[in-house]
């Protein structure tokens, strides 16, 4: 297939089908009609109640995203798209949905199946999230996009605005946002039990893949079933290597967003939701170094660091009357024990991933997906959230029903009460992702260097506090950092 400019059609070929789906009644075509649910009886699902879903990126996390949305046949899986048909999970997904049309190029899929598809799940590598999602939204398709929403800040803003423009139902794949235990933390805060929060700590054991290592040099023979050029999409062209695909791409800026991209949208979700945060005003970072030679640290600006500490500042809001210092730690680093966490009380998740919200009256602690929150007050009170509800089979509800809630909102339509009830539509997920990726902007600025005039090493002008104008997406005190707000797109893959 000849590569073409990745701009999408402005028409909405499925708008009439979507309106019909929302009405959920009859469609006359000669003597043919679709029978509504109440005629079929309890336990049956009328064809008019089913959402027609296409999946792009269907192995790995895409396997659960597509099948949770499929919901055991409550909806239709009409098309499946992946650039690598040789991956075990991709093959399994094809076998699970034998009637779904198969594609490698999402553009071809949207062109050929556009009259059939209602909604699209996007679970590709980070660098193609925005390209795929934008093309789908411009065709009037609802979209579910894995976290991080996008590879860079500009793309996050663009998708947020596009969702409103094209009036589609959206959800980012940070499934912890649908965790009912998060509501308990919001309630504790709203009741004033922790007072105004002034400091937030977020930490993770990521990266759990090789990171901070030299750039792979030798390209390997690519698998026969992989279309490498399609996998690269908008990224700078490089040769195939298993050091990038199918999983280790996360550690390279050309494709991924590092530990922040992997986990930031999960754990930063909690303070954003509880405190009602907006755009940060400043960011500063420090990163770990790798020494393969004595006294000489590796310099790998193409790759994410082995560990980092990022500090973001947020102004007071109408909900939280205190300015907030947010500290992110990765690479196995974690905060020291807060004074309000009693001795003997463990860190969330045994210290591997977690959140602390420190207020002037108390402390809220929880795990990565907002799990198992606890409140400790200065007066010595301890409160715990109720356990998460179980499904009909007595097991946990898959990913808190995050994908299912999105599909039901798609059926109800844009601006419906079901849509407004979603916990990570792009109106929320976009600004959240921008704040997460501010950390990466600071990390990449930290590695910028220029040779010293005397020839003795380098200076690092980006190792400073960066001031952020969120409305205009601009660093105001170090212009070189603004190159990381967006990216250079490969020819033929410009974000429309």
């Amino acid at each position: 297939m000849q590569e073409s400019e990745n701009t999408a059609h402005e028409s909405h070929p499925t708008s009439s089908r979507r309106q019909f789906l929302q009405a959920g009644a009859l469609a006359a075509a000669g003597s043919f009609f679709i029978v509504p649910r109440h005629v079929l009886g309890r336990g049956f699902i009328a064809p008019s109640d089913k959402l027609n879903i296409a999946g792009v990126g269907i192995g790995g996390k895409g396997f659960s995203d597509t099948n949770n949305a499929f919901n055991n046949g409550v909806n239709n899986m009409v098309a499946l798209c992946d650039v690598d048909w040789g991956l075990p999970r991709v093959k399994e997904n094809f076998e699970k949905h034998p009637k779904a049309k198969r594609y490698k190029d999402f553009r071809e899929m949207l062109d050929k199946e556009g009259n059939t598809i209602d909604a699209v799940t996007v679970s590709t590598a980070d660098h193609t999230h925005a390209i795929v999602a934008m093309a789908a939204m411009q065709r009037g398709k609802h979209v579910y996009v894995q976290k991080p929403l996008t590879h860079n800040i500009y793309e996050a803003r663009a998708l947020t605005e596009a969702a409103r423009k094209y009036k589609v139902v959206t959800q980012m794949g940070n499934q912890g946002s649908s965790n009912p235990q998060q509501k308990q933390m919001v309630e504790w805060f709203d009741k004033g039990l922790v007072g105004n929060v002034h400091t937030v700590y977020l930490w993770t054991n990521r990266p759990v893949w090789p990171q901070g290592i030299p750039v792979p040099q030798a390209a390997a023979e690519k698998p026969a079933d992989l279309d490498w050029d399609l996998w690269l999409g908008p990224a700078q062209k490089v040769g195939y290597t298993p050091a990038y695909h199918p999983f280790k791409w996360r550690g390279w800026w050309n494709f991924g967003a590092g530990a922040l991209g992997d986990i930031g949208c999960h754990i930063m979700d909690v303070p954003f939701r509880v405190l009602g945060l907006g755009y940060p005003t400043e960011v500063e970072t420090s990163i770990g170094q790798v020494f393969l030679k004595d006294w000489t640290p590796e310099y790998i600006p193409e790759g994410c660091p082995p560990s980092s500490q990022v500090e973001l500042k947020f102004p007071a809001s109408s909900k939280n009357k205190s300015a907030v210092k947010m500290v992110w730690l990765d690479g196995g680093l974690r905060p020291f024990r807060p004074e309000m966490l009693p001795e003997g009380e463990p860190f969330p998740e045994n210290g591997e991933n977690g959140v602390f919200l420190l207020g002037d009256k108390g402390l809220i602690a929880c795990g990565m997906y907002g799990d198992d929150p606890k409140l400790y007050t200065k007066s010595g009170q301890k409160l715990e959230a109720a356990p998460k509800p179980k499904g009909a089979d007595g097991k946990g509800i898959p990913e808190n029903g995050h994908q299912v809630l999105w599909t039901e909102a798609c059926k109800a339509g844009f601006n419906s009460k079901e849509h407004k009830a979603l916990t990570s539509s792009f109106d929320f997920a976009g600004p959240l992702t921008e704040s997460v990726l501010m950390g990466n902007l600071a990390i990449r600025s930290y590695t910028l260097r220029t040779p010293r005039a005397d020839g003795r090493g380098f200076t690092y002008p980006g190792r400073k506090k960066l001031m952020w104008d969120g409305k205009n997406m601009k660093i105001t005190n170090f212009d070189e950092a603004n190159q990381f707000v967006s990216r250079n797109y490969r020819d033929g893959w410009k974000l429309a």
Side-chain angles (χ1 to χ4, degrees), residues 364-412:
I364 293 176
C366 70
M368 180 163 59
Y369 303 107
D371 284 339
D372 303 320
K374 297 177 176 62
L375 167 68
Y376 306 91
T377 68
K378 281 187 174 180
S379 62
Q381 183 182 24
K382 175 185 174 182
L383 299 175
E384 299 185 44
K388 290 196 288 185
K390 303 291 185 181
D393 59 0
K395 299 179 181 179
I397 299 172
E399 301 194 12
N400 304 304
H402 197 55
Q403 296 91 346
V404 171
L405 291 168
W406 168 70
T407 62
E408 293 306 305
C410 292
K411 295 173 187 178

Side-chain angles (χ1 to χ4, degrees), residues 7-233:
T7 55
H9 303 309
E10 294 287 332
S11 59
H12 292 184
T14 61
S15 60
S16 59
R17 171 182 156 75
R18 191 168 69 245
Q19 291 164 1
F20 168 75
L21 195 74
Q22 294 164 12
L26 301 175
S31 59
F32 173 76
F33 63 93
I34 293 179
V35 183
R37 178 190 293 149
H38 72 272
V39 175
L40 293 175
R42 181 175 298 176
F44 291 90
I45 302 169
S48 59
D49 290 336
K50 290 193 173 189
L51 196 70
N52 285 346
I53 300 170
V56 182
I58 63 167
K61 192 68 188 70
F63 184 89
S64 60
D65 286 341
T66 51
N67 286 291
N68 287 343
F70 174 67
N71 196 15
N72 295 311
V74 169
N75 299 304
N76 296 322
M77 190 59 61
V78 297
L80 293 171
C81 178
D82 202 285
V83 298
D84 190 350
W85 288 13
L87 295 175
R89 279 283 189 155
V90 171
K91 292 180 179 179
E92 185 179 353
N93 225 347
F94 283 154
E95 292 170 1
K96 188 176 179 69
H97 305 284
K99 294 182 179 180
K101 300 291 182 62
R102 302 178 183 183
Y103 291 91
K104 284 194 172 182
D105 191 329
F106 71 92
R107 299 167 297 184
E108 181 185 5
M109 181 193 76
L110 290 172
D111 283 341
K112 291 185 176 180
E113 309 298 332
N115 290 327
T116 304
I117 296 168
D118 299 312
V120 179
T121 63
V122 182
S123 310
T124 60
D126 297 351
H127 67 294
T128 49
H129 284 186
I131 294 288
V132 180
M134 183 67 80
M137 287 193 291
Q138 288 177 331
R139 288 167 168 85
K141 314 304 178 189
H142 308 298
V143 292
Y144 179 99
V145 183
Q146 252 311 313
K147 54 75 200 166
L149 181 60
T150 58
H151 179 263
N152 58 66
I153 294 168
Y154 169 77
E155 292 177 341
R157 185 73 59 90
L159 290 197
T160 302
E161 293 174 350
R164 301 187 195 113
K165 177 179 179 180
Y166 298 110
K167 294 181 169 55
V168 292
V169 176
T170 59
Q171 182 98 302
M172 181 172 72
N174 55 330
Q175 63 270 23
S177 67
S178 290
N179 181 354
Q181 292 183 319
Q182 284 221 38
K183 295 180 180 178
Q184 181 63 80
M185 289 186 280
V186 173
E187 182 179 324
W188 285 338
F189 178 80
D190 289 349
K191 287 182 175 179
L193 299 182
V194 294
N196 289 311
V197 170
H198 51 79
T199 306
V200 173
Y201 287 103
L202 312 169
W203 70 96
T204 180
N205 61 356
R206 268 60 165 191
V208 292
W209 51 86
Q211 200 162 284
I213 61 174
V215 177
Q217 295 299 315
E221 182 179 351
K222 77 171 185 65
D225 289 323
L226 168 65
D227 189 319
W228 182 241
D229 192 69
L230 284 177
W231 188 89
L232 288 172

